[in-house]
Amino acid sequence: MKKTIITVVGKDTVGIIAKVCTYLAENNVNILDISQTIVQGFFNMMMVADATKSTKDGGQIAEELEKLGKEIGVSIRCQHEDIFNMMHRI
């Protein structure tokens, strides 16, 4: 299974979750776990997703999510689980 870590950060607006989840569904990326919070008007979401059934590779998904983020005014980052773990280990 290709687990992917997706983070979304920015000023809270209507439709952020809907737009990100719609993109993922349209590209056969399954959300395995999701956490989101809003702190003083700032939106923060982290997802663990499975991109195994997607016809797109991780790089293409990451680029398209980054572009979507710019369109809706948030920062979206997408990383393979191994890269995320290496960057966040103590």
Side-chain angles (χ1 to χ4, degrees):
M1 177 183 324
K2 297 187 292 185
K3 285 188 185 174
T4 302
I5 309 302
I6 302 166
T7 57
V8 183
V9 178
K11 191 162 174 63
D12 186 36
T13 58
V14 173
I16 296 171
I17 296 172
K19 289 175 183 167
V20 173
C21 291
T22 296
Y23 170 86
L24 296 175
E26 289 173 349
N27 288 282
N28 294 315
V29 177
N30 186 36
I31 298 168
L32 302 173
D33 201 356
I34 184 170
S35 172
Q36 72 89 31
T37 188
I38 299 168
V39 177
Q40 295 186 9
F42 291 95
F43 179 88
N44 185 22
M45 178 168 64
M46 181 175 175
M47 292 184 272
V48 177
D50 175 8
T52 303
K53 294 184 180 176
S54 180
T55 58
K56 297 179 180 178
D57 66 29
Q60 187 175 5
I61 292 170
E63 287 177 16
E64 291 177 0
L65 282 171
E66 186 174 350
K67 180 181 176 191
L68 174 63
K70 288 179 182 176
E71 291 171 7
I72 62 177
V74 296
S75 172
I76 303 178
R77 298 287 178 250
C78 180
Q79 296 176 315
H80 187 279
E81 178 183 31
D82 295 338
I83 294 170
F84 183 87
N85 287 335
M86 292 299 287
M87 290 179 60
H88 294 91
R89 69 177 203 189
I90 297 177

